[in-house]
Amino acid sequence: MRIFIASSNSGKLRELSEAGAAYSVVVHELPGSGSLPVPAESGSTFAENAAIKAVAYSRTVPGEIVIADDSGLEVSALGGAPGIHSARYAQQDNHKSSDAANNQRLLCEIAKYPGAGRSALFVCVIAAARDGKLLGTFEGEARGEILQAPLGRHGFGYDPLFFVPEANKTFAEMQGEEKLRYSHRGAAFRQFCEWLAHHPLS
Ligand code: ITT
């Protein structure tokens, strides 16, 4: 089974390729993805935004299955923020901000609520589409806690601040298969594979 992935995020691309290898799905980066028009993520949920991206990019490779990932971090003390705005949390003008700036803002915001607890949820929705039609959306979650300072040097995004009690590690202290085992993206990808196995596509 061959699928294409559309994402501008190298961390996601790496993890989804590793997930493909683990589940015998050959995952290709969408050809010419750097020069394709970027669809506006105008949805109000992860699922809507993942679907917008998968549907738009699937039109560029006729007959092929294209997946897109929309994901982010929901922090309880912040009423679920940054949520669908995770990629641009530190930016005022709706553009993407750097991982370092986003982590810095997260630490600043959560410090305002010292008694509120630090529990957080990572959410990932993978949408699959072919020829401009949505085939399905697949959601995965990971529960953890936000640390007071970064820990670990792997991964991307909020990984150094996201501590997984079950593993006694942050995501940034995990590599490859280990993060997939615990992560929202691994869980969403497994659901997608399960769906693929039961929906042979002609
Ligand atoms: P594409 O839309 O091009 O795929 P993006 O980075 O803009 O790339 P999103 O809109 O889905 O993707 O934003 C997700 C943000 O959430 C991402 O930039 C990270 O900061 C964060 N994020 C998602 N999954 C993560 C993970 O596994 N580890 C750390 N941070 C993650």
Side-chain angles (χ1 to χ4, degrees):
M1 174 59 71
R2 170 175 84 164
I3 59 163
F4 287 85
I5 291 179
S7 176
S8 61
N9 184 314
S10 58
K12 285 186 188 178
L13 286 172
R14 188 184 60 249
E15 290 185 8
L16 289 167
S17 298
E18 287 168 357
Y23 295 100
S24 305
V25 179
V26 180
V27 174
H28 297 278
E29 204 172 320
L30 196 70
S33 54
S35 52
L36 294 172
V38 179
E41 294 183 32
S42 53
S44 55
T45 63
F46 293 110
E48 283 172 13
N49 285 334
I52 288 169
K53 291 187 272 192
V55 165
Y57 288 120
S58 72
R59 297 197 170 99
T60 70
V61 277
E64 303 285 355
I65 297 178
V66 174
I67 62 168
D69 161 323
D70 203 66
S71 44
L73 185 64
E74 297 181 343
V75 178
S76 314
L78 304 177
I84 61 166
H85 306 292
S86 294
R88 32 185 194 266
Y89 193 38
Q91 201 76 355
Q92 303 303 320
D93 57 5
N94 218 27
H95 284 86
K96 286 185 195 176
S97 28
S98 71
D99 289 345
N102 287 336
N103 281 320
Q104 189 63 41
R105 168 132 194 234
L106 177 58
L107 288 176
C108 282
E109 294 298 323
I110 202 169
K112 295 175 187 167
Y113 306 94
R118 302 181 78 94
S119 66
L121 189 69
F122 253 132
V123 182
C124 172
V125 176
I126 290 175
R130 188 166 60 168
D131 295 324
K133 287 196 193 75
L134 185 66
L135 299 172
T137 56
F138 310 91
E139 181 163 335
E141 294 181 353
R143 288 188 185 281
E145 286 162 22
I146 303 303
L147 295 184
Q148 293 186 353
L151 194 60
R153 57 189 180 86
H154 305 297
F156 67 99
Y158 300 94
D159 279 348
L161 292 177
F162 190 80
F163 179 79
V164 182
E166 214 185 327
N168 198 29
K169 284 178 179 179
T170 66
F171 270 170
E173 293 179 292
M174 301 181 192
Q175 283 195 84
E177 191 274 330
E178 188 178 16
K179 180 176 171 190
L180 279 176
R181 198 175 342 134
Y182 290 104
S183 79
H184 50 315
R185 184 160 296 104
F189 195 82
R190 284 189 287 279
Q191 296 227 16
F192 167 62
C193 290
E194 184 78 11
W195 177 87
L196 263 188
H198 293 99
H199 291 79
L201 297 157
S202 52

